Every structure is written in structure tokens, then in C-alpha cells.
Amino acid sequence: MAFFRAGYNFKKTTFLLFFLGVWLSCRQEPSVKSDYWSEMSKIIDTIVVPDFPDSTFNIMDYGAVSDGVFDNSHVFERAIKDCTDKGGGVVLVPEGSYLTGPIHLQDNVNLHLKKGSEILFIRDFDAYEPLVHTSFEGTELMNFSPLVYAYKKKNIAITGEGILNGQAGNDFWWPWKGSPDYGWEEGEPNQLASLTRLKEEMSEKGVRVSDRVFGKGHYLRPSFIEPFECENVLIQGIKIINAPFWVIHPIKSTHVTVDGVTVESHGPNNDGCDPEYSKNVIIKNSTFNTGDDCIAIKSGRNEDGRRVGIKSENIIVQNCKMIDGHGGVVIGSEISAGVKNVFVENCVMDSPNLDRAIRIKTNSKRGGTVENVYVRNLEVGQVKEAVLKINLFYGIYGVQEGNFIPKVDNVVLENVNVKNGGKYGILAQGYKEKPISNITFKDVTIAKVDSVYALENVVGLNFINSRINGKQITSPVE
């Protein structure tokens, strides 16, 4: 009997201790799981970087002239064709200035710009025809060729220490935006009518892409570098300036590496890098000084995004510097197909002309689901508006409302140091029927900001060991 009582007391004590542990754990601050960073490492290990045969095709051997005046369009075309036909290798651009029309990369070609070289793109709209299958602000169409373009190619690269100069400015490409800030004057043509036609008369009505024909007379600017439905892409070391529109735009592509690139272009819609409908993308060791978002992750606009239905996922940003721009790392606004698994680490963002550090933007016409955004080891000197902004009522041309309520879930910022956060630490506005969920600030320090947060329809906001304006911040009661 004594043995039975001892056993009974042991079980009772174990039972009570178990529930005491559960109760204590419930009273502790919420923790942030760290295994998603190991998931990031696994993704990096799967990204294929292209490799090329040890063969060189010097453009000088194909009749190139480096005076910045001679049209080298056919020179690049012949050198690239010879390279791919012979199994691939390096198309070499030596020191000097080379004028050309659009360059179309082929399989197994590495366009390599030696230090001191500059490729200048022709200031003649006729040069960017024939039209190609491309995209404008998240909607597919037939339009001017991007300046460097690859369509359904594998193992391609642009590398070196040279410069790609789009030669856009207030007298070429940029005025089509329709803004006096970029050279447009009242009465001159601009993109608005064509953009409305593309979206409302074509995309929304399901017109085939092959029948969405634009080009001359329609004023929609081309992207600078666009790998379209490509695999194993490397863009490394080069400097890119004076872009007509989006600068680096991998669309429907997989295994994309952007490494050590410098983007300096302050024109309209001059986003630095816009992965769209793309998977397994790493952007690292690069500097962005732009007229729009530094990095903007996309997945199609409205009906077009839902038609394509390809998420952008496994997007990694490492060791980058963001200077001027509307946002450091941005998701949106064209994200109708959704974005999943974004990792940002070890970046520096600092400029009086940088509006936000991290931003998510969409609306109920575009919709989209954004899930799993992880940010760590961020040094922010100064931003204008917010450290983190989530705006699900985004609109430029007036209110844009529809029946596709966007969803944002699981956004984590950890080990982030901010000197001047501008107006808000967190500015987040969601929908009552589908609130923004699970925002976590862990080990975040904001030395100065006007307001800790401004929230509307947000659930699951957690502050862990975070200080703002010199005070420890606790999670709000919902």
C-alpha cells in the first residue's frame, strides 16, 4: 500500500509540474522562431549560377568601333550568335564606348564588359523594334524591346566592371511618364491613355497578349535588363545608369543572381531590381540609388497577375546598400499572384530621400497574398516616413477598389537599428474582414521617430526586447 501511495503522489506531482510549466510559458514574451534563416541557407544552396566554356568572342573581331557614334547593333548580334552557335562562352566588350540598339542574349552567353568600357543605347525609338513579348507595370504586352533582353534562354550573364548607359533623360524616354519633373510639357503625349487601354480594354477583358500591340505612338517605356522566362541568370559587377523604366526585371525566371551591381538612375519608375513571377532569386552586394523603389518584388497586376498565377517566392536580399528611393525593399504594388518567402539581411539604408525601409503595398483590386517576410541585421540611418509600412489601400491614379481583399501574414524584423525613423516605426493599414496578421519586432531599436505606430486592422503585433525613442515597447493589447 505504501508503494501505491508513493507512486500516486509521484504521478500527481508530475501532473502539477507539467501544467505549471505550461502556465509559466504562456506568461512569457512571445518568441520568434529562427529556423527560417536555415531555410534561407537551403534556398541559396539550390540557386544555380551559370557556368560558361572558356571561349572568348571579342566584339572587335566582329567590326566593333569604340567611338560612341558608330552603330554596333549588328556587331553585338553577330558576336552573340557566333558564341551561342559554338557552344557558348564570353562575348567580350573591351575598353571604349560602344553605341548600339537593344542587345538580345542567347543560351550560354556571358556578355562581359571590361573595366573602362561603356555600352550606350541608341536614342532612336525605331531601334527598339521589332516589338517583343514583354511587360509594363505587371501587365504583359507586345512592346519595344528592353535594352538588354533574353526570351526563354538558359545560362546567360552580364558581367564585368563596365557601364550600361540607357541614355534616358528629360529629353528621351522620361517625358512619356507625363510629369513636368521629367521634361514633359502640357500638350505633349504621355503614357496614360495607352496604360488605361492596356489595363481596362485588354487585360481586364482577357485579350490575348499577342494582340496587345503597342510600340511607337503608345509611349510605354521599356525595361533596361529583362530576362523573360529564363533559367540560370547572372548579373554581376556592372554599373547601370540612365534607365528608361524598371532597371533589372527578371520575369517568370528561376535561379537569378544579381551580385555586386550598382544602379544609379533617378528617372520615373526607375526601380532598381524587380523580380516578377520569379523563384530562387538572390540580390547581394549591390548598391541602389534610384528614382523609385530600390528593390520591388512583383507578381503581376490585377487580372493579368491572376491569369498568370505564378508567385514570386524565395527572394533573398543580402549585403546591399540603399540610398535614394521610395522604399529600400518593397513588395508590390503589382502582387496579384502573391509573394512568399522573402529574406532580407545585412543591409544599410540611409538617405533623406529614402521614404521607407520595408514596404508592402497593394489594394483590393490587385489583391494578392504576402506571407513570410523576414528581415534582420538592418542599419537604417534615415528614412522619411516609416521603418515598416504596410498599405493595402494603395493607389496612384485615385482609389482602386475591387473584390480581391489582400492578405499579409508573418512579417518579422529583428536586430534592426534605426537612427531616424521619420514619422512612424510601423504604419500599417489593413481590412476589417482580413486583418494584417503577425508583425514582430525583435531586438529593434529606433532612436528617434515621431510615432511608435499607427495601426488599423492589425492582429498579432509583437514587440520583443525592442526600444523606441529610448523606451522599452510592449505589445499592444488587442
Side-chain angles (χ1 to χ4, degrees):
M1 181 65 71
F3 176 79
F4 175 79
R5 289 197 182 105
Y8 171 79
N9 291 337
F10 173 78
K11 290 179 180 179
K12 184 176 180 180
T13 302
T14 304
F15 182 79
L16 291 171
L17 287 173
F18 171 77
F19 276 98
L20 179 62
V22 171
W23 179 76
L24 287 172
S25 66
C26 291
R27 291 178 57 85
Q28 294 175 353
E29 289 183 313
S31 62
V32 179
K33 294 181 180 179
S34 59
D35 55 1
Y36 41 76
W37 296 110
S38 63
E39 288 300 313
M40 180 192 72
S41 298
K42 292 176 183 177
I43 293 167
I44 292 172
D45 290 341
T46 68
I47 296 176
V48 178
V49 179
D51 190 27
F52 301 94
D54 188 18
S55 300
T56 299
F57 301 81
N58 191 321
I59 62 170
M60 304 306 290
D61 297 332
Y62 295 84
V65 178
S66 61
D67 61 359
V69 177
F70 177 80
D71 183 353
N72 290 282
S73 299
H74 293 300
V75 170
F76 280 101
E77 183 180 356
R78 288 194 298 269
I80 289 170
K81 185 178 187 304
D82 201 18
C83 178
T84 191
D85 286 349
K86 293 180 178 179
V90 173
V91 172
L92 182 66
V93 182
E95 182 179 349
S97 297
Y98 303 89
L99 185 70
T100 183
I103 295 172
H104 288 196
L105 297 179
Q106 303 294 331
D107 291 336
N108 303 311
V109 170
N110 176 6
L111 179 67
H112 185 80
L113 284 68
K114 294 284 287 185
K115 187 175 182 179
S117 67
E118 183 175 18
I119 297 178
L120 302 161
F121 289 89
I122 290 175
R123 292 164 62 93
D124 180 356
F125 303 124
D126 290 338
Y128 299 89
E129 294 186 339
L131 308 183
V132 299
H133 184 176
T134 182
S135 177
F136 189 89
E137 289 189 347
T139 304
E140 292 181 80
L141 76 166
M142 306 300 296
N143 196 27
F144 293 116
S145 171
L147 280 56
V148 182
Y149 181 67
Y151 187 68
K152 296 186 177 181
K153 302 305 177 184
K154 187 174 182 178
N155 296 327
I156 57 172
I158 310 165
T159 63
E161 298 179 75
I163 297 171
L164 292 176
N165 185 349
Q167 297 207 96
N170 283 2
D171 59 345
F172 189 72
W173 292 125
W174 291 357
W176 290 1
K177 172 67 175 179
S179 169
D181 293 337
Y182 299 106
W184 178 81
E185 295 182 1
E186 190 69 38
E188 291 183 343
N190 62 57
Q191 69 185 27
L192 185 57
S194 293
L195 188 56
T196 300
R197 178 169 172 254
L198 175 63
K199 293 185 300 180
E200 297 180 5
E201 297 178 22
M202 294 184 167
S203 175
E204 290 185 8
K205 295 180 179 179
V207 173
R208 292 181 304 179
V209 174
S210 59
D211 293 331
R212 305 175 188 178
V213 180
F214 287 79
K216 280 191 299 185
H218 295 285
Y219 313 107
L220 299 178
R221 295 157 288 146
S223 298
F224 203 133
I225 300 175
E226 185 173 273
F228 195 120
E229 209 168 321
C230 292
E231 184 178 352
N232 306 347
V233 178
L234 173 65
I235 303 171
Q236 184 178 55
I238 58 171
K239 183 176 183 178
I240 308 166
I241 62 175
N242 304 327
F245 185 60
W246 292 357
V247 181
I248 302 172
H249 181 212
I251 177 170
K252 297 183 181 178
S253 294
T254 58
H255 303 297
V256 178
T257 301
V258 177
D259 182 13
V261 169
T262 298
V263 175
E264 289 186 3
S265 194
H266 282 75
N269 309 107
N270 277 191
D271 296 357
C273 187
D274 297 74
E276 184 168 21
Y277 303 130
S278 292
K279 183 177 182 179
N280 294 353
V281 177
I282 184 166
I283 306 162
K284 60 183 179 178
N285 309 319
S286 296
T287 299
F288 298 94
N289 193 0
T290 65
D292 208 308
D293 296 323
C294 295
I295 295 172
I297 301 161
K298 313 281 191 177
S299 64
R301 181 182 191 137
N302 303 355
E303 284 72 20
D304 231 50
R306 290 182 279 273
R307 172 185 62 84
V308 174
I310 300 173
K311 287 184 179 182
S312 282
E313 59 182 310
N314 301 345
I315 313 294
I316 298 162
V317 180
Q318 290 181 322
N319 306 310
C320 289
K321 183 177 182 181
M322 290 76 173
I323 307 174
D324 291 358
H326 293 179
V329 176
V330 176
I331 301 172
S333 62
E334 301 87 358
I335 52 168
S336 298
V339 174
K340 182 179 181 180
N341 300 340
V342 176
F343 304 87
V344 181
E345 67 170 357
N346 306 327
C347 292
V348 175
M349 303 180 183
D350 186 13
S351 171
N353 298 314
L354 181 63
D355 293 333
R356 308 105 185 159
I358 306 296
R359 184 186 189 190
I360 300 171
K361 53 180 177 175
T362 182
N363 55 49
S364 61
K365 191 169 185 179
R366 297 183 189 180
T369 295
V370 177
E371 53 189 331
N372 303 338
V373 179
Y374 305 110
V375 181
R376 70 174 177 180
N377 305 339
L378 207 65
E379 292 292 331
V380 180
Q382 180 179 359
V383 292
K384 280 185 181 180
E385 185 182 26
V387 177
L388 171 65
K389 181 176 182 179
I390 303 175
N391 179 11
L392 306 188
F393 297 84
Y394 176 79
I396 294 178
Y397 305 108
V399 178
Q400 298 181 35
E401 295 180 347
N403 299 316
F404 302 92
I405 306 300
K407 177 184 177 182
V408 176
D409 179 48
N410 197 22
V411 179
V412 179
L413 275 67
E414 55 182 298
N415 193 27
V416 174
N417 293 305
V418 183
K419 291 181 180 178
N420 186 345
K423 296 178 181 178
Y424 304 98
I426 303 173
L427 177 58
Q429 184 182 24
Y431 289 82
K432 185 177 181 180
E433 57 268 48
K434 195 180 289 185
I436 297 166
S437 56
N438 302 318
I439 299 174
T440 299
F441 270 32
K442 179 185 179 185
D443 299 323
V444 173
T445 300
I446 304 175
K448 177 185 177 183
V449 69
D450 292 348
S451 299
V452 175
Y453 50 70
L455 309 173
E456 184 175 342
N457 298 314
V458 176
V459 297
L461 175 60
N462 296 312
F463 290 97
I464 304 171
N465 192 33
S466 293
R467 296 182 67 83
I468 299 179
N469 291 334
K471 298 180 180 179
Q472 194 84 15
I473 302 299
T474 57
S475 301
V477 177
E478 296 171 6

